[in-house]
Amino acid sequence: MAKRKTWFKPKKYPHIGLPITVKDRHKVESYVRNPGKIAHHAFLPLIKRVQRSHRYTHDNGKYKRRTKEREICYASHFDAQIYSYYAKILERRYEKYIKEHDYSDCVIAYRSILCDNGKRSKCNIDFAKDAFNALRNMVAKGPQTVLISDITRFFDSLNHSYLKRAWREVSNYDSLPEDEYNIFKNVTHFSYVRIEDLFNLFNGQIICQTKTGVRKKRLTHVKYFKEKGAIAFCEKDALPELRNRGFIHPNKNKSKDGHPIGIPQGLPISSVLANIYMWEFDQKLNSYLCQIGGYYRRYCDDIILIFPSSHMQNVNVESLQKMLNCETALDISKDKTKTFSIASSPNGEITILKDGKPSKIEYLGFSFDGKDIRIKDKGMSKYFHKMDKTIRARMFYAIHINNNTVGKLFVRQLLRRFTPIGSRKHRIFYRGVGSKSFVDSRKFSFGNYWTYVSKAAEICDSPAIIHQMKRNKAILKRRIKLAKNAVDNKAEKE
């Protein structure tokens, strides 16, 4: 039996037009593999939504929240298959290119890099461990400097002319063929519809998948889409109405000199284009670091450099910015750049200093203090804040919502979510409608935060990571007790 094509990935997220199913595979493949059809394919507008993530800091007994917004775009189902197919083609070319030019080790994001045992691909845990181990080995040879930085507004700042040059370079083309040029044109000069505009226009007739077939429903919020089986905002014939209402917007990102820049983040092809875009920077920086006995890794826009301290004058923010050059339209973030001085004592103890004070290095969600690898403090703070928020929400529903949740905190669910009880992969069952029996949902839970913690501790060989969770049981028990008391007090008053 032929091996399944990994680029064909039908999904059911709501978009303009109905989703593609496995039954459409032959039709999709015959179209996508035809360069003549792709050269003249008319791509639908993307849907843009704002993804908000919250970061919490604990100061004087109070949580402070900082919200980070990221614009995510996703293509219609048919267009996504086209982008996915060409992404696989570009990935193969890129892998060949970076191996031929001897810098395949330094690019670690959006690639499948096998572990030494060959049993699985590496993840952020492995990459963090590799960097900290490299530091341990290098500091034994003499004082080292670690520079950690990132690139400002990476996807939003990619220069279109430079991207085309990078695409040609990696593909060994003098000019892009018509099909690939059409892909390039629609990735750079894309149009989009805001998800809020789509929902407000069609919220009374969202297309949903039910047991009896496809029907239109009125939904009050986007958050109910998954629960109600929403599969589309509208049919494709609604495009003229969207255009007439002015809901279709072009990409208006421009550089300081007025040239259009930026590609959408979220397309199947965006990640490989981001790696291809950095071809020249990666080669130059990796070549120089290798010459001086240094270490360079780039995880998308996150950069870590380790090099002998004797070369500090030549490796800094200014030199990195110079290597990026003006063509890329990218800027190194000076505010997020951190420089550490590393030294080792005769007994092997590693000292990490920042601005002359003891410090620790944070990279890809982990921290290193010269002795132990741990999950960084912000990650742990976010976990405990999520625990608190979840219990408060359960308490609110137990007190205020008059249905089968009244008076119930569903403690077993909390234990599965915030203790090792729920850390193993298991099938998800739900109670059948009008029945006391449970039905197999045919879905799996891949664990909880404890799963990640255990995996990190094992990979990094660091008991200190498990030790970070020592307060988990006591905190969870105390918060559940407070929530139960609040629910009981409310019941007594009524």
Side-chain angles (χ1 to χ4, degrees):
M1 183 179 291
K3 189 178 180 179
R4 283 185 61 87
K5 311 295 190 300
T6 55
W7 62 266
F8 183 75
K9 300 174 182 177
K11 298 182 180 180
K12 292 186 178 181
Y13 55 81
H15 209 284
I16 301 169
L18 297 176
I20 288 172
T21 66
V22 176
K23 295 179 181 179
D24 301 315
R25 182 185 182 92
H26 177 72
K27 181 180 70 174
V28 173
E29 283 190 351
S30 61
Y31 187 95
V32 171
R33 292 178 182 278
N34 188 328
K37 291 185 179 295
I38 302 303
H40 299 94
H41 179 77
F43 288 82
L44 294 181
L46 309 175
I47 291 181
K48 178 182 283 189
R49 65 179 176 86
V50 178
Q51 185 182 71
R52 294 178 176 85
S53 59
H54 306 295
R55 299 184 179 182
Y56 302 90
T57 56
H58 201 259
D59 187 22
N60 294 327
K62 295 183 178 180
Y63 280 112
K64 288 186 178 181
R65 188 174 79 172
R66 183 166 61 90
T67 302
K68 181 180 180 181
E69 294 187 347
R70 177 178 296 168
E71 292 181 339
I72 304 295
C73 294
Y74 49 105
S76 68
H77 295 280
F78 199 93
D79 293 350
Q81 302 307 316
I82 298 174
Y83 287 131
S84 182
Y85 175 73
Y86 278 85
K88 290 298 177 184
I89 293 175
L90 286 175
E91 283 172 9
R92 287 195 293 269
R93 293 178 193 167
Y94 180 69
E95 289 294 330
K96 180 181 178 183
Y97 183 87
I98 60 179
K99 287 177 182 177
E100 288 177 349
H101 291 77
D102 199 26
Y103 69 98
S104 61
D105 289 339
C106 69
V107 183
I108 56 178
Y110 310 130
R111 297 176 58 214
S112 180
I113 303 173
L114 293 177
C115 293
D116 295 336
N117 58 18
K119 293 183 178 180
R120 63 175 181 83
S121 295
K122 289 187 175 183
C123 62
N124 68 305
I125 304 172
D126 299 282
F127 297 135
K129 175 191 174 185
D130 290 346
F132 296 143
N133 283 345
L135 175 58
R136 284 188 176 113
N137 295 332
M138 292 170 66
V139 75
K141 301 175 184 178
Q144 303 290 320
T145 296
V146 174
L147 189 150
I148 293 179
S149 187
D150 72 1
I151 299 170
T152 305
R153 294 177 58 82
F154 186 50
F155 284 90
D156 294 334
S157 303
L158 303 190
N159 180 283
H160 295 169
S161 298
Y162 190 82
L163 176 60
K164 185 193 289 187
R165 176 186 165 192
W167 193 321
R168 294 201 312 265
E169 170 71 23
V170 170
S171 304
N172 196 25
Y173 287 155
D174 292 328
S175 61
L176 296 181
E178 289 187 2
D179 57 328
E180 295 188 32
Y181 178 73
N182 195 31
I183 301 291
F184 165 78
K185 183 175 64 175
N186 282 279
V187 168
T188 52
H189 297 85
F190 62 93
S191 60
Y192 64 90
V193 182
R194 294 188 179 92
I195 193 170
E196 297 86 0
D197 292 337
L198 268 178
F199 177 75
N200 292 334
L201 183 60
F202 297 109
N203 62 0
Q205 46 188 340
I206 301 296
I207 302 172
C208 300
Q209 181 71 55
T210 66
K211 292 182 179 180
T212 57
V214 175
R215 54 176 296 213
K216 294 182 179 179
K217 291 183 179 181
R218 181 174 186 83
L219 302 182
T220 57
H221 200 281
V222 176
K223 66 182 180 181
Y224 298 121
F225 274 23
K226 186 175 182 180
E227 177 185 346
K228 300 298 182 181
I231 56 175
F233 286 94
C234 58
E235 297 280 5
K236 292 180 182 178
D237 57 13
L239 279 173
E241 183 178 3
L242 293 173
R243 190 172 290 109
N244 292 335
R245 288 176 176 267
F247 286 169
I248 300 178
H249 308 280
N251 173 32
K252 293 184 178 180
N253 287 345
K254 291 187 177 181
S255 62
K256 296 175 183 178
D257 54 4
H259 291 95
I261 57 173
I263 65 172
Q265 187 172 355
L267 302 187
I269 201 171
S270 298
S271 56
V272 66
L273 290 180
N275 275 342
I276 288 173
Y277 191 85
M278 300 296 286
W279 67 279
E280 197 170 20
F281 177 81
D282 288 335
Q283 286 187 62
K284 288 180 180 178
L285 189 53
N286 185 62
S287 176
Y288 179 74
L289 265 292
C290 287
Q291 289 177 18
I292 64 174
Y295 176 95
Y296 163 56
R297 294 293 183 270
R298 180 179 63 81
Y299 191 95
C300 189
D301 57 350
D302 289 327
I303 297 168
I304 183 170
L305 308 177
I306 308 173
F307 53 92
S309 297
S310 56
H311 294 272
M312 278 188 64
Q313 296 297 324
N314 299 323
V315 185
N316 48 48
V317 175
E318 289 72 23
S319 62
L320 291 180
Q321 186 63 58
K322 188 176 180 180
M323 283 188 182
L324 274 177
N325 71 56
C326 59
E327 285 186 88
T328 64
L330 298 177
D331 293 311
I332 296 293
S333 175
K334 294 183 178 180
D335 295 337
K336 295 182 179 180
T337 299
K338 297 180 180 179
T339 305
F340 303 87
S341 299
I342 321 295
S344 177
S345 63
N347 60 4
E349 291 185 1
I350 298 174
T351 304
I352 300 176
L353 299 177
K354 182 178 179 295
D355 299 328
K357 299 178 181 178
S359 184
K360 53 189 174 183
I361 300 171
E362 293 185 345
Y363 181 61
L364 299 182
F366 291 85
S367 66
F368 179 60
D369 60 2
K371 181 181 179 182
D372 295 313
I373 299 174
R374 293 182 174 87
I375 296 173
K376 71 177 187 179
D377 294 341
K378 286 184 179 179
M380 299 303 300
S381 176
K382 188 175 181 179
Y383 164 76
F384 283 110
H385 182 84
K386 185 176 289 187
M387 176 197 291
D388 185 56
K389 184 179 178 181
T390 302
I391 295 174
R392 287 177 182 272
R394 294 291 176 88
M395 181 179 69
F396 176 86
Y397 279 99
I399 293 174
H400 298 285
I401 306 301
N402 290 320
N403 56 21
N404 62 347
T405 66
V406 64
K408 298 181 181 179
L409 280 175
F410 297 96
V411 175
R412 286 186 180 180
Q413 292 181 11
L414 293 173
L415 294 178
R416 282 198 296 269
R417 187 168 180 181
F418 298 108
T419 70
I421 293 174
S423 63
R424 293 184 179 181
K425 178 181 175 182
H426 59 273
R427 283 184 178 271
I428 299 175
F429 291 84
Y430 63 91
R431 191 182 295 276
V433 179
S435 171
K436 293 184 179 181
S437 62
F438 285 84
V439 181
D440 187 354
S441 68
R442 297 185 179 181
K443 296 180 181 178
F444 285 90
S445 168
F446 290 91
N448 54 22
Y449 192 71
W450 276 91
T451 310
Y452 179 74
V453 169
S454 301
K455 182 178 180 181
E458 180 183 355
I459 292 174
C460 296
D461 190 22
S462 177
I465 293 177
I466 296 294
H467 187 70
Q468 287 180 279
M469 300 291 284
K470 67 175 183 177
R471 295 168 51 242
N472 182 83
K473 183 178 179 179
I475 291 174
L476 180 62
K477 185 177 180 180
R478 183 172 69 251
R479 290 179 179 174
I480 289 177
K481 185 177 180 180
L482 291 172
K484 279 185 173 181
N485 290 339
V487 173
D488 293 342
N489 290 338
K490 180 68 176 180
E492 289 177 3
K493 290 179 181 180
E494 295 180 351

